[in-house]
Amino acid sequence: MIETCKVCSNDFELTNEDLAWYKKFNEEPQGLCFECSQKRRLCFRNERSLYKRKCDATGEEIISIYSPDKPYKVCKSDYWYSDKWDPLEYGGDFDFDRPFFEQFKELQLEVPRLALSNFRGINSDYCNMTMGNKNCYLIFGGDFNEDSMYGTLCMENRDVADCDYSNYCEVCYEISDCIRCYNCNFATDCKECTDCNYIADCIGCRECIFCTNLINQSYYIENKKLTKEKYPARKKEILKDREKAYEKFLEIREKRIVKFAHQINCENCTGDYLKNCKNCINCFDAAECEDMKDIIYASPKCKDCYNSGLLGHASVMGYNMQSMLSAFNCKHSFFIIYASDIDYSDHAISSSHLFGCVSLRHKKYCILNKQYSREDYKQMRGRIIEQMKKTGEYGQFLPPDLSC
């Protein structure tokens, strides 16, 4: 059936497959097209705008994604993760005479927030939405990198700079969508290449310059073979003027033959930049994932997720989610890590069975940061959902004015 998007007013198709996904999560169609749905969630993820401000708990100067003029209480990581404060102290009863989102926003303003999402980083203070980086600077959404800087969604690289959407690379500069490359500069969509400059869509190449669409070749310049003896002098001449070489590379890259989609070992998949995936429809930048639809970026082992973005390792049964990691059965929430059965929450770590909560760690059966028994939680959650359906709030992602 054809639907009209509530935001952009463009028509989009709601397929039987979509309806099956909604039924799987016991949800109703939200009335947004794919693009508008993704935009609404992405406004919650500030990756790279960093500020200096005071920690509201200690008074120390810290680095944060929240500018000093923001009304939130912001704390440095050491304090936020400590036992020096209890987020349940900010909890309260749900008021059935007021909209849910109005009460949720009030809670957001009261509960201390994590200054940066930078887990287990070593000498990597200026990184965000990251885990396990060492000696890194301005890495965003990338994990387990070392001695690297200026990267987005890059994983397990070493000694790289200006590295986007690239994994397992070493000693590289200005690369994008590359895998297991070594000592390569200005490379796009390349895999397992070594000592190459200004290349695109190459696999297994060594000592190549200004080349595209080559596989397992060496000593090529502009897709023409040179002898091993003549190559070094020509290479030296080209690399004398990096600016001129880069301009030429852009021209060559624009004219190259491109694949209809970057898919490797995929079965029944549509989308781009997919590897070892099965039954992933309209998905982008995913690896080793299965049974998903309308997903932008998913780490390995994600499964049964629909209409979400930025899914971390082993996220399962996520719907209308933004930024979840190793979580199960979560909906309409932002930044959920090692958690399960979470709805309409903002920052929850190692928790389960939460509804409308902010900044909870190691908690369960809470609503608006108030603790309930298992039975009372289940009853209250059901009542709130029915109330949200009456007000038209339920089924939508958190409104943009709740983004931080």
Side-chain angles (χ1 to χ4, degrees), residues 34-35 38-39 41-42 153 165 282-286 292-299 307-311 321-323:
F34 172 72
E35 290 81 3
Q38 293 288 344
K39 287 177 182 178
R41 290 189 295 269
L42 279 172
L153 294 168
Y165 299 92
N282 197 40
C283 294
F284 304 86
D285 289 291
M292 305 198 306
K293 188 175 188 295
D294 294 346
I295 302 295
I296 294 182
Y297 195 86
S299 295
N307 196 26
S308 298
L310 282 298
L311 306 181
M321 292 292 297
Q322 181 66 48
S323 305

Side-chain angles (χ1 to χ4, degrees), residues 73-316:
K73 298 176 182 177
V74 179
C75 297
K76 67 175 187 174
S77 297
D78 291 346
Y79 183 89
W80 193 86
Y81 283 107
S82 73
D83 294 328
K84 297 178 180 179
W85 71 288
D86 183 1
L88 295 186
E89 292 181 356
Y90 301 87
D93 295 323
F94 182 79
D95 185 349
F96 285 92
D97 293 325
R98 300 171 58 206
F100 166 80
F101 289 134
E102 180 181 299
Q103 299 176 64
F104 187 76
K105 186 175 182 65
E106 292 174 356
L107 186 64
Q108 285 182 310
L109 293 172
E110 290 297 320
V111 184
R113 308 186 68 81
L114 185 61
L116 281 178
S117 302
N118 188 357
F119 298 95
R120 298 201 292 272
I122 300 174
N123 190 31
S124 303
D125 294 340
Y126 288 84
C127 298
N128 187 41
M129 291 290 176
T130 57
M131 176 181 290
N133 289 315
K134 181 179 180 181
N135 301 329
C136 290
Y137 178 70
L138 295 181
I139 299 291
F140 302 106
D143 303 331
F144 305 107
N145 300 284
E146 186 172 348
D147 299 319
S148 300
M149 61 182 180
Y150 307 126
T152 299
L153 294 168
C154 48
M155 308 292 175
E156 299 190 47
N157 302 287
R158 184 170 182 174
D159 294 304
V160 301
D162 290 328
C163 170
D164 296 334
Y165 299 92
S166 298
N167 305 326
Y168 314 111
C169 295
E170 189 170 351
V171 195
C172 292
Y173 173 70
E174 193 75 40
I175 60 174
S176 61
D177 295 294
C178 291
I179 300 174
R180 301 189 188 281
C181 289
Y182 177 83
N183 195 30
C184 291
N185 302 303
F186 302 99
T188 303
D189 293 322
C190 293
K191 179 182 177 183
E192 297 175 355
C193 292
T194 303
D195 300 324
C196 292
N197 295 271
Y198 308 106
I199 61 172
D201 290 296
C202 291
I203 300 175
C205 292
R206 180 174 178 271
E207 292 289 6
C208 292
I209 304 174
F210 294 141
C211 292
T212 62
N213 305 110
L214 292 185
I215 299 177
N216 298 331
Q217 302 294 339
S218 299
Y219 306 111
Y220 270 69
I221 296 179
E222 296 187 52
N223 283 40
K224 297 179 181 179
K225 179 73 173 180
L226 276 71
T227 64
K228 184 177 179 179
E229 292 73 25
K230 291 184 177 181
Y231 179 86
R234 183 73 180 116
K235 175 181 179 180
K236 184 177 181 181
E237 180 184 351
I238 292 172
L239 298 185
K240 280 183 180 179
D241 192 338
R242 294 276 186 175
E243 184 175 349
K244 181 179 178 181
Y246 182 66
E247 291 175 356
K248 183 173 182 177
F249 171 60
L250 294 180
E251 294 177 2
I252 292 173
R253 189 174 65 177
E254 185 177 355
K255 296 177 182 178
R256 77 189 191 279
I257 298 173
V258 296
K259 302 174 183 177
F260 78 97
H262 299 83
Q263 294 188 15
I264 300 174
N265 193 30
C266 292
E267 178 182 346
N268 188 34
C269 293
T270 61
D272 207 358
Y273 292 103
L274 305 177
K275 181 179 179 182
N276 299 330
C277 292
K278 181 179 179 182
N279 301 329
C280 292
I281 307 301
N282 197 40
C283 294
F284 304 86
D285 289 291
E288 300 176 32
C289 296
E290 187 174 351
D291 299 325
M292 305 198 306
K293 188 175 188 295
D294 294 346
I295 302 295
I296 294 182
Y297 195 86
S299 295
K301 309 302 180 185
C302 291
K303 191 177 187 299
D304 291 314
C305 293
Y306 175 53
N307 196 26
S308 298
L310 282 298
L311 306 181
H313 183 270
S315 293
V316 179

